[in-house]
Amino acid sequence: MTEFDPDHDESDPQNLADRDDVIRFLERNDIRLPDGLTIEKINSRGSWWAIDETSFSFRIERHPSGLFSTRSVGGRGMPTPARWHVRKRYTYDRMTGEWDVTEHMREFHFDSGLLVDAEFERPPTKAVWEQAIARAREADDPEEVIDEQLAATEERYRSGFVEVPEDHLDDMLAVLEDEFRRRAGMD
């Protein structure tokens, strides 16, 4: 914890000593933030702070999960089966009033087990997969049912995960196809 400094003047925008000073500066001066950035995000996720006389910067890591909820039905946090890991550095030039946003990392990850659980065991997709499996078991051509279900899932994933690398999307669909076949008794 920082000790009280009798010479520290919070009203002086040139005297920014720590992250709390920066957040107060942003709030009090109504600084326009880059798209998607909020004071709350800066406060809760901002790290790796650098502050000098002319600028300040911080890093924020985000984990957008596209169409997968990060909350259970009961409102508790839960891991998502697929998500981006994005790291950006935000630098504010106090002389020009301009922001520089630099993306340092963008990676896509998915977990096969969590993906199967999210699709086949949680509403609302659980009922869709159960109906498709039942149709496949009764169909003259179960491959057609699999193709239809995977095409619908691919379309949903493409709209929910913008710019997902093709190899990841193919891998995710392969996991779902294998699980579909196993549950339908077609493996």
Side-chain angles (χ1 to χ4, degrees):
M1 183 168 190
T2 307
E3 297 210 12
F4 175 73
D5 179 359
D7 297 323
H8 181 73
D9 180 5
E10 286 184 13
S11 66
D12 179 5
Q14 300 306 313
N15 191 11
L16 300 179
D18 60 23
R19 69 182 292 282
D20 293 332
D21 286 346
V22 169
I23 291 169
R24 275 191 294 278
F25 171 76
L26 292 170
E27 289 174 329
R28 291 180 179 163
N29 292 290
D30 197 28
I31 304 294
R32 180 174 158 80
L33 300 174
D35 287 343
L37 189 62
T38 64
I39 297 291
E40 292 79 23
K41 287 180 185 176
I42 296 169
N43 196 24
S44 66
R45 297 184 195 160
S47 63
W48 295 87
W49 290 80
I51 304 167
D52 63 31
E53 298 80 32
T54 62
S55 68
F56 57 82
S57 67
F58 51 88
R59 183 174 83 185
I60 292 190
E61 293 191 36
R62 301 179 315 119
H63 300 95
S65 58
L67 53 95
F68 293 108
S69 175
T70 59
R71 297 274 174 218
S72 67
V73 175
R76 294 180 40 199
M78 63 184 195
T80 58
R83 66 184 187 169
W84 286 100
H85 185 118
V86 179
R87 181 180 303 145
K88 292 183 180 180
R89 173 148 300 276
Y90 294 85
T91 303
Y92 182 75
D93 184 321
R94 292 166 47 193
M95 301 311 191
T96 65
E98 297 293 319
W99 286 97
D100 177 55
V101 181
T102 306
E103 187 169 280
H104 290 281
M105 183 182 74
R106 176 178 288 266
E107 296 176 352
F108 186 81
H109 299 280
F110 82 95
D111 179 289
S112 299
L114 292 174
L115 182 64
V116 167
D117 181 63
E119 286 290 333
F120 288 89
E121 299 298 331
R122 290 192 225 153
T125 55
K126 178 181 179 178
V128 172
W129 286 103
E130 287 174 346
Q131 291 169 2
I133 289 167
R135 282 194 334 265
R137 287 181 179 151
E138 297 173 9
D140 292 334
D141 185 3
E143 294 295 325
E144 189 175 305
V145 176
I146 291 174
D147 291 345
E148 288 173 7
Q149 183 62 35
L150 289 175
T153 302
E154 180 177 0
E155 183 178 318
R156 185 167 49 91
Y157 280 18
R158 286 193 189 284
S159 67
F161 289 111
V162 180
E163 299 175 7
V164 171
E166 284 296 319
D167 58 331
H168 288 300
L169 184 59
D170 292 343
D171 291 346
M172 291 169 68
L173 293 171
V175 165
L176 297 177
E177 180 177 0
D178 290 347
E179 185 65 15
F180 184 106
R181 287 180 183 284
R182 188 186 71 74
R183 291 181 183 229
M186 299 169 57
D187 49 350

